[in-house]
Amino acid sequence: MPDITTTRLARRGLLYVVVALGAVAMLFPFLWTVITSITPGGTLSSGPSLVVEDPTLDAYRELFGVMPVWRIVGNSFGIAVATTLLQLVTSSMAAYAFARLPFRGRNVVFAVYLATLMIPLQVLVVPLFIEMTRLQLNDTYFALLAPTIASAFGVFLLKQAMEGVPRELDEAATIDGAGHLRIFTTIMLPLVRPSLATLAVFAFMSSWNSFLWPLVVIRSPELMTLPLGLATLRGQFTTEWDVVMAGSVVSIIPIALLYIVAQRHIIAGMAHTGLK
């Protein structure tokens, strides 16, 4: 019979191989994007190629020449940061109310709130557009922010995390004379910091990649976000794919950096969110 240690090592080796293959499969599209962006006259019709002859940065120079990239990136970054901060504030406060404040109909309200997760944005685009039009807020930064101020997913995520915090801490703080505001800011928020980091990354990514709502509500080129800017790079008859891929690389870099910085908190947040 094979040795138990040998069998265990073989299983672990097989697991590493499977994980490595999965990582290659996930990273290959990004690698192909980078390679296409530095390939002269790069195209998508000839299939993926990992060998680049005479690599060049001309696509990046053309990208920054044909569109105001820094203004567009600044718009996307500002909207994404504002969205993230607003969702952190509103979601954490609502989650604390659902997790710690007893009131009549709490479970019903929370269930209805969660039910909104099943409603896709496409269904809400028309009523939201009409609302922004009547408020005369179309083609403004606030119109981009309005639908993302609150997040049902963020409330659910933080509520689950806060319910995992022992109630004895609340009771001890109450005995010391602390109110809900102090308990919320000095006890609850520090203890659910991994979940806050997870929500921050999800909110930032969602805002950064948002395309449909900005397309509907924005008309001025100076308010254009990055997904809209990338869409303008596609021509009616021909498309310079190396320039499009260069724009895609520019859009990927902030998200990759954010994930690298917050990776430890994301893993901790997802691991502890469902624990009681």
Side-chain angles (χ1 to χ4, degrees):
M1 295 181 63
D3 184 58
I4 297 178
T5 303
T6 304
T7 304
R8 188 173 299 173
L9 290 176
R11 290 179 179 177
R12 182 174 298 179
L14 179 61
L15 177 62
Y16 287 160
V17 171
V18 173
V19 171
L21 292 176
V24 171
M26 294 294 294
L27 292 176
F28 182 77
F30 301 104
L31 179 61
W32 187 16
T33 299
V34 175
I35 291 175
T36 305
S37 69
I38 61 176
T39 302
T43 179
L44 301 181
S45 59
S46 58
S49 175
L50 299 180
V51 179
V52 182
E53 298 181 359
D54 301 324
T56 178
L57 297 178
D58 289 342
Y60 292 89
R61 298 188 186 97
E62 184 174 352
L63 173 68
F64 282 83
V66 299
M67 59 187 300
V69 176
W70 294 118
R71 175 64 182 267
I72 293 174
V73 171
N75 289 339
S76 292
F77 185 79
I79 294 298
V81 170
T83 296
T84 302
L85 294 177
L86 288 171
Q87 287 195 19
L88 288 177
V89 173
T90 58
S91 297
S92 60
M93 295 176 67
Y96 180 81
F98 284 122
R100 286 297 195 263
L101 301 183
F103 57 89
R104 182 177 299 178
R106 181 178 63 177
N107 293 334
V108 175
V109 174
F110 183 67
V112 172
Y113 201 59
L114 283 185
T116 61
L117 288 172
M118 296 184 291
I119 304 176
L121 177 62
Q122 292 82 352
V123 176
L124 302 175
V125 164
V126 173
L128 283 174
F129 179 78
I130 295 175
E131 181 180 2
M132 293 297 106
T133 301
R134 292 182 177 178
L135 294 175
Q136 298 182 354
L137 293 175
N138 276 334
D139 202 25
T140 63
Y141 287 120
F142 184 81
L144 291 172
L145 284 174
T148 60
I149 291 177
S151 168
F153 169 76
V155 174
F156 170 74
L157 181 69
L158 296 182
K159 176 181 178 292
Q160 294 297 105
M162 290 182 181
E163 287 183 342
V165 177
R167 290 185 177 270
E168 289 78 4
L169 297 176
D170 300 25
E171 296 171 357
T174 302
I175 294 174
D176 290 338
H180 286 294
L181 180 60
R182 186 175 178 183
I183 295 174
F184 172 70
T185 55
T186 62
I187 296 178
M188 201 64 66
L189 290 183
L191 292 177
V192 299
R193 185 166 49 189
S195 296
L196 290 172
T198 303
L199 176 59
V201 173
F202 286 166
F204 189 94
M205 290 178 57
S206 177
S207 176
W208 185 266
N209 296 323
S210 178
F211 176 76
L212 179 59
W213 178 244
L215 177 66
V216 171
V217 80
I218 293 299
R219 293 291 179 269
S220 302
E222 59 270 16
L223 300 180
M224 188 181 298
T225 57
L226 194 55
L228 293 182
L230 294 179
T232 63
L233 295 176
R234 297 192 59 180
Q236 182 176 2
F237 301 104
T238 60
T239 300
E240 297 182 6
W241 287 110
D242 53 343
V243 180
V244 175
M245 293 298 105
S248 299
V249 172
V250 172
S251 68
I252 291 172
I253 290 175
I255 295 296
L257 293 177
L258 178 64
Y259 180 79
I260 292 173
V261 171
Q263 180 181 9
R264 178 170 58 88
H265 296 291
I266 294 173
I267 295 174
M270 298 304 291
H272 292 88
T273 295
L275 298 180
K276 297 296 183 182

